[in-house]
């Protein structure tokens, strides 16, 4: 019973309009199951913001209140927090430390007339709730409680249940098997000075009406209703028995509202169920067993949306008071498994869910331009309450997704996204909506100078809190100490920055074997495939270092590494700190030995082409075409002036491929003599090709190599070669006539080994690494990348400084993101490394830099966001600890128990830890 005096405004309408509305309301009920089935694919069509009311009564959290005035012929509507009708005896036993407002007592009489409606006369008593009222009354007693208090009570009661409380829980939960909505029309009776509630069969489905008949037991003993919601007192003046001036004054004016009834559908207030009432056994109504049905053998069946059942007995450690709340699934709206996984982890975060089950609306910041004026926080709060209310039906998070898409438009569609990225945006949006700071002051951070770290860190933290103060900051944010050292002047800069989560790399304990073809450019040595071993998490710098040792690279040489694809160079691997994960096992990599110091010279890349013929079916006619072969050769030219220089560079590169003559075998020791002799013979024929065009034509004959600049225009020996200053590179296509294949051995030029060729019928053993090793790799000192260079205030220029991170302040909730995905311009990859993470005893005391901190550094795991599959077709789930050593898997709509031993898999992606006192 909410919002009785907070009426937004009147909507004038005719009697025909009222009739249409009432008919529409009744006609919608038979369509609920069909609409809920179709709604998964009609997200935009059935957006909650566009509907006058929720089509699923079981999931409604803010009912529609309609105020009907018979004289004015109009309706007034308002939305407020739901009010729940519960057994009073259950309420006083299970509320624990949950605080509620003082209760107002109503003595109530009920009767049922021939029009199939129950009439309740609620007379207010001049007393408030006291301990003496909890016992000594033999009639039916009920309590009206607000939704937030009701959910807090349920959760607090479930969390406090111990191993020895099974009998108590069973008897208490026998009255809490479901929640159902009940439509009630409330008006003021001037004759009896009371509130009159009318429950009609016209407003409710038949089974709900039958349940109401059992609950209120017409024509029987007196009933008492305690109102702890404070809503009915809005009808009265100054806590007296006189009605307020704006209260309904006659029976023609009613409030049509929806009341949520909990724990009363089966046994009510100690009454027996009617023998012919079979509707009460509907297991789909849900309840505190959260998709379970109690059986006589002491077990519980967990029902899944796909029809499967999973049985858990008390001997398995399953207690009826624990798996009861918070075990609802989330509907997949279309590639939203990433969102469902992150939400389930967050709504099971202890202090976060407790916050949103309370009255958090008073902290909403409606003026923050960085937030959504509270819309995102309200949507998440409503979703949290739906997930923690009793019942089994999966929740469709459409309203929440719609609000999030306004804050982060990249989530507006139905594409697959990253659960960690989604979580980061969600936490940021909730923080801005709930930021307690209305006006952010400007704060200038002082230089650390030689002050103690403790003093500087506290100054940074207080400056952060002066602008950012919310439940997200209280629970999820910690603090880094960041130290930068300039490589030139050794200037040291220390800052203390907040963090929301830790993104840890996955170092590998194994080595990776890689086969790379090393090509010499001195015209002497043949290409040589070399197998080297590098760290599995290494960089291109590690690969070059290993190749330099394997090929005996001289001090005056350097390596240019390139990936070859389809007889062309696909890309040059020049960034030393790029991960070798960019190189796949089936790639072809070539390393060219080039003179050191020639990086400013023109880089010439020679690609090879030959003629082919296709014989037609009649064997008389054919069609000639060309195709590329081999891998490119590379050289750097300093004195490039004309085509003759290009020709001579190419002849030098292919000199090692010369076939031995009949009278002498090929010897590497004679290679320099061979290339000199070849060049002398060519010089005799061509004389000075740069001097005249006619002399160049003598060499450029039909049986010699032909060169094409950029693959199109033919390059003549006397033509000058123009190179773009921006690129300083040339692509030359070399046409090989058939005569040249008799002179050169192409077997060395045409085959390249793959990076790694696994043996047949063998599998690599799964890799495993400790979470502590991941943390150490994250905290180790390393140089900044070229794109993240630091501006040194001493040198007055950007420097590639070394950076060292340390943990300074640890948060209450520690979110650990395992960096399984790597992205680059050319490649996306996922690491399937199994991370051995602690479950109950994560101790970070040896990694915290603040030795004076008194906060505990011990954590226990309570949730995991898992990712299965690859980058193209992966799927997200969530593994959640639900108390009493019980773990559950949340796979969209499906929720089922799992063993603790099974949560450590290669799918673990985001880990959620909560702080515990040190042992």
């Amino acid at each position: 019973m909410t919002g009785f005096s907070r009426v937004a405004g009147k909507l004038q309408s005719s009697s025909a309009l009222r009739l249409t509305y009432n008919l529409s309301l009744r006609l919608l009920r038979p369509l609920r199951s069909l609409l809920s089935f179709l709604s998964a694919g009609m997200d935009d069509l059935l957006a909650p913001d566009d509907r006058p009311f929720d089509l699923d009564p079981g999931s409604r959290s803010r009912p529609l209140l309609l105020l009907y005035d018979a004289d004015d012929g109009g309706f007034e509507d308002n939305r407020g927090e739901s009010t729940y009708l519960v057994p009073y005896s259950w309420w006083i036993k299970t509320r624990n430390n949950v605080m509620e407002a003082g209760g107002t007592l109503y003595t109530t009489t009920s009767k049922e007339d021939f029009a199939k409606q129950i009439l309740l006369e609620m007379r207010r008593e001049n007393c408030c709730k006291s301990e003496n009222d909890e016992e000594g009354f033999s009639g039916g007693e009920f309590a009206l409680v607000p939704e937030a208090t009701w959910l807090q009570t349920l959760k607090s009661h479930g969390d406090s249940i111990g191993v020895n409380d099974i009998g108590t829980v069973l008897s208490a939960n026998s009255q809490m098997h479901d929640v159902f909505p009940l439509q009630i029309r409330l008006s003021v009776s001037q004759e009896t000075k009371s509130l009159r509630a009318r429950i009609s069969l016209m407003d409710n489905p038949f089974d709900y009406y039958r349940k109401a008949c059992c609950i209120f037991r017409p024509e029987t003993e007196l009933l008492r209703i305690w109102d702890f919601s404070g809503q009915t007192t809005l009808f009265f003046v100054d806590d007296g028995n006189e009605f307020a001036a704006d209260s309904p004054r006659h029976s023609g004016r009613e409030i049509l509202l929806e009341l949520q009834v909990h724990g009363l559908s089966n046994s009510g207030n100690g009454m027996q169920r009617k023998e012919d009432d079979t509707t009460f056994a509907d297991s789909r109504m849900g309840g505190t067993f959260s998709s379970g049905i109690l059986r006589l053998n002491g077990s519980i069946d967990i029902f899944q949306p796909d029809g499967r059942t999973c049985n858990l007995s008390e001997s398995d450690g399953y207690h009826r008071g624990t798996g009861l709340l918070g075990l609802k699934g989330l509907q997949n709206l279309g590639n939203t498994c990433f969102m469902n996984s992150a939400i389930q982890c967050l709504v099971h975060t202890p202090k976060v869910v407790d916050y949103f089950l309370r009255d958090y609306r008073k902290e909403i910041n409606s003026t923050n331009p960085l937030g959504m004026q509270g819309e995102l926080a309200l949507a998440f709060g409503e979703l949290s309450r739906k997930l923690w209310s009793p019942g089994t039906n999966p929740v469709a998070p459409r309203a929440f997704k719609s609000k999030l898409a306004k804050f982060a438009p990249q989530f507006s569609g139905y594409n697959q996204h990253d659960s960690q990225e989604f979580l980061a945006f969600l936490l940021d949006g909730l923080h801005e909506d709930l930021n307690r700071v209305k006006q952010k002051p400007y704060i200038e951070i002082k230089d650390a100078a030689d002050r103690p770290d403790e003093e500087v860190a506290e100054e940074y933290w207080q400056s952060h809190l002066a602008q950012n103060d919310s439940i997200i900051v209280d629970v999820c944010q910690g603090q880094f100490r960041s130290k930068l050292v300039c490589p030139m002047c050794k200037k040291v800069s220390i800052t203390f920055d907040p963090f929301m989560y830790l993104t840890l790399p996955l170092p590998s304990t194994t080595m990776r074997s890689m086969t790379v073809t090393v090509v010499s450019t001195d015209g002497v040595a043949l290409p040589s495939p070399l197998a080297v071993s590098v760290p599995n998490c290494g960089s291109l710098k590690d690969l070059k270092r290993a190749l330099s040792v394997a090929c005996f690279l001289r001090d005056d040489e350097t390596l240019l590494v390139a990936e070859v694809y389809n007889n062309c160079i696909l890309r040059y691997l020049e960034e030393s700190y790029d991960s070798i994960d960019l190189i796949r096992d089936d790639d072809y990599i070539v390393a060219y030995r080039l003179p050191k110091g020639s990086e400013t010279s023109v880089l010439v890349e020679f690609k090879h082409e030959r003629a082919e013929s296709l014989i037609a079916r009649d064997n008389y006619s054919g069609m000639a075409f060309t195709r590329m072969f081999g891998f490119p050769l590379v050289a750097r030219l300093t004195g490039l002036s004309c085509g003759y220089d290009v020709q001579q560079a190419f002849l030098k590169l292919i000199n090692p491929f010369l076939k031995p003559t009949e009278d002498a075998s090929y010897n590497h020791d004679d290679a320099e003599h061979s290339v000199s002799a070849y060049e002398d013979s060519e010089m005799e024929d061509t004389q000075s090709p740069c001097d005249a065009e006619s002399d160049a034509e003598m060499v450029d004959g039909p049986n010699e190599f032909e060169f094409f600049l950029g693959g199109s225009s033919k390059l003549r020996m006397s033509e000058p070669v123009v190179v773009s200053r921006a690129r300083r590179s040339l692509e030359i296509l070399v046409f090989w006539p058939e005569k040249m294949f008799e002179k050169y051995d192409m077997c060395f030029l045409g085959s390249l080994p793959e990076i790694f060729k696994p043996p047949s019928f063998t599998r690599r053993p799964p890799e495993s690494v400790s979470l502590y090793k991941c943390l150490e790799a994250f905290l180790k000192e390393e140089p900044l990348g070229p794109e993240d260079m630091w501006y040194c205030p001493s040198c007055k220029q950007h420097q590639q400084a070394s950076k060292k991170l340390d943990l300074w302040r640890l948060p209450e909730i520690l979110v650990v993101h395992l960096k399984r995905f790597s992205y680059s311009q050319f490649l996306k990859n996922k690491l399937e490394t199994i991370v051995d993470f602690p479950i109950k005893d994560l101790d970070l005391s040896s990694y915290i830099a603040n030795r004076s901190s008194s906060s505990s550094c011990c954590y226990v795991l309570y949730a995991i966001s898992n990712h299965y599959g690859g980058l193209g077709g992966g799927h997200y789930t969530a593994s959640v600890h639900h108390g009493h050593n019980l773990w559950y898997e949340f796979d969209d709509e499906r929720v089922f128990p799992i063993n603790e031993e099974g949560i450590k898999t290669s799918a673990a992606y985001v880990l959620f830890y909560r702080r515990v006192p040190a042992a």
Side-chain angles (χ1 to χ4, degrees), residues 656-728:
F657 301 97
L658 278 171
K659 292 181 180 179
T661 58
E662 296 180 358
D663 55 345
S665 61
Y666 182 83
N667 192 314
H668 285 285
D669 296 335
D670 299 331
E672 294 185 5
H673 174 72
S674 300
V675 67
S676 299
Y678 189 91
E679 291 177 356
D680 291 342
S681 62
E682 293 294 331
M683 287 292 291
E684 293 177 0
D685 295 335
T686 58
Q687 297 177 1
S688 181
C690 288
D691 295 338
E693 178 73 19
S694 58
D695 293 333
E697 292 294 342
M698 296 174 58
V699 178
D700 209 7
N703 293 325
E704 300 294 340
F705 295 110
E706 295 181 87
F707 300 89
F708 296 87
L709 185 61
S712 57
S713 60
K714 187 174 182 180
L715 180 65
R716 300 187 181 276
M717 296 301 98
S718 60
E719 288 183 353
V721 179
V722 179
V723 181
S724 171
R725 289 186 177 182
R727 295 184 57 186
R728 297 296 295 171

Side-chain angles (χ1 to χ4, degrees), residues 621-650:
S621 61
M623 181 174 60
F625 67 97
T626 60
R627 70 174 182 87
M628 298 181 66
F629 69 96
F631 61 88
L633 299 176
V634 168
R636 285 197 180 274
L637 302 183
T638 56
L640 182 62
S641 60
C642 63
Y644 177 76
D645 297 329
V646 174
Q647 182 197 52
Q648 293 305 302
F650 177 72

Side-chain angles (χ1 to χ4, degrees), residues 711-878:
S712 57
S713 60
K714 187 174 182 180
L715 180 65
R716 300 187 181 276
M717 296 301 98
S718 60
E719 288 183 353
V721 179
V722 179
V723 181
S724 171
R725 289 186 177 182
R727 295 184 57 186
R728 297 296 295 171
S729 63
L730 281 178
E731 287 188 3
I732 303 295
L733 183 62
V734 183
F735 179 77
W736 286 64
E738 289 299 323
K739 179 181 179 180
M740 294 296 103
F741 287 96
E742 300 175 1
K743 193 173 183 179
Y744 294 92
D745 190 349
M746 290 295 100
C747 65
F748 297 100
L749 189 63
S751 61
L752 282 176
E754 296 181 1
I755 281 292
F756 180 79
K757 190 70 173 180
S760 302
F761 307 105
T762 61
R763 295 185 61 185
R764 295 184 182 181
E767 301 177 34
S768 178
V769 64
S770 167
L771 182 65
Y772 293 111
K773 291 293 183 182
C774 299
L775 184 59
E776 291 168 3
F778 173 72
L779 297 177
K780 73 177 182 179
E781 185 175 1
E782 60 182 2
L784 297 176
E787 67 280 358
D788 297 322
M789 297 180 70
W790 171 59
Y791 182 80
C792 177
S794 179
C795 299
K796 304 298 181 182
Q797 60 181 348
H798 289 86
Q799 301 286 359
Q800 195 170 358
S802 61
K803 183 176 183 179
K804 176 70 169 68
L805 285 177
D806 291 298
L807 298 176
W808 186 264
R809 185 190 302 268
L810 294 175
E812 191 76 17
I813 298 298
L814 180 64
V815 180
V816 179
H817 167 223
L818 302 177
K819 196 173 180 181
R820 294 194 176 276
F821 303 109
S822 60
Y823 302 91
S824 69
Q825 182 179 358
F826 305 98
L827 183 65
K828 298 179 181 179
N829 189 30
K830 180 190 176 184
L831 297 177
E832 297 290 347
T833 305
I834 297 177
V835 177
D836 183 14
F837 47 84
I839 298 178
K840 299 179 180 179
D841 53 356
L842 176 64
D843 187 2
L844 300 179
S845 56
S846 59
Y847 298 94
I848 187 78
N850 184 11
R851 297 303 177 184
S852 62
S853 175
S854 59
S855 300
S856 171
C857 300
C858 299
Y859 291 83
V860 295
L861 184 74
Y862 69 90
I864 308 173
S865 176
N866 303 302
H867 180 272
Y868 296 91
L871 294 172
H875 179 63
Y876 287 92
T877 66

Side-chain angles (χ1 to χ4, degrees), residues 443-659:
I443 300 176
E444 185 175 355
I445 303 297
K446 301 178 183 178
D447 188 79
D450 296 328
R451 292 184 294 164
D453 284 347
E454 290 79 7
E455 177 184 341
V456 179
E458 184 63 23
E459 181 180 289
Y460 269 83
W461 186 250
Q462 293 303 323
S463 299
H464 175 65
L465 293 182
Q467 297 180 328
N468 303 276
D469 184 15
S470 68
I471 180 62
I472 304 301
V473 176
D474 298 341
V475 175
C476 300
Q477 287 196 358
Q479 192 178 26
F480 283 135
R481 180 179 69 177
S482 177
K483 180 180 179 181
L484 292 172
V485 179
C486 177
M488 302 302 294
C489 67
K490 305 304 178 183
K491 165 71 176 178
V492 177
S493 174
I494 297 179
T495 58
F496 294 85
D497 305 312
F499 69 88
M500 191 91 71
Y501 48 85
L502 299 179
T503 297
L504 304 185
L506 300 185
S508 176
T509 57
T510 62
M511 302 293 285
R512 179 180 180 185
S513 178
M514 306 181 71
T515 301
V516 178
T517 302
V518 178
V519 180
S520 175
T521 60
D522 59 2
V524 177
L526 285 167
S528 175
L530 296 178
V532 295
S533 295
V534 295
N536 205 16
C537 60
S539 62
L540 293 176
K541 183 178 180 180
D542 299 319
L543 176 60
K544 289 183 180 180
R545 185 184 298 114
L547 288 173
S548 300
V549 174
C551 71
F552 302 100
L553 193 71
R554 299 194 305 267
D555 294 338
D556 60 345
E557 289 182 315
T558 185
L559 290 178
L560 178 63
V561 183
E563 179 183 349
V564 175
Y565 180 75
N566 281 348
N567 309 110
C568 297
I569 292 180
L570 178 63
R571 55 178 174 142
Y572 290 102
L573 308 178
E574 298 180 288
E575 298 296 335
S576 298
Y577 291 100
D578 280 351
S579 173
I580 60 172
D581 291 333
L582 299 174
I583 305 175
R584 297 169 296 185
D585 286 346
D586 56 352
D587 287 343
Y588 300 95
I589 303 298
V590 177
Y592 299 97
R593 301 176 66 155
L594 296 172
K596 185 179 291 185
S598 62
E599 288 78 5
T600 58
S601 303
V602 178
L603 181 66
V604 184
E605 177 185 327
F606 295 98
K607 296 183 290 186
H608 314 285
E609 187 180 56
R610 65 181 300 178
E612 296 281 347
S613 61
L614 181 64
I615 305 299
R617 293 182 180 179
D618 56 9
N619 292 326
Y620 290 103
S621 61
M623 181 174 60
F625 67 97
T626 60
R627 70 174 182 87
M628 298 181 66
F629 69 96
F631 61 88
L633 299 176
V634 168
R636 285 197 180 274
L637 302 183
T638 56
L640 182 62
S641 60
C642 63
Y644 177 76
D645 297 329
V646 174
Q647 182 197 52
Q648 293 305 302
F650 177 72
L651 294 177
K652 181 179 179 180
L653 290 175
I654 64 172
N655 183 68
F657 301 97
L658 278 171
K659 292 181 180 179

Side-chain angles (χ1 to χ4, degrees), residues 76-94:
E76 297 177 351
D77 68 323
N78 186 29
R79 290 183 181 270
E81 187 178 33
S82 292
T83 300
Y84 283 73
L85 179 71
V86 299
Y88 179 67
S89 59
W90 168 82
W91 174 252
I92 62 175
K93 291 178 181 178
T94 58

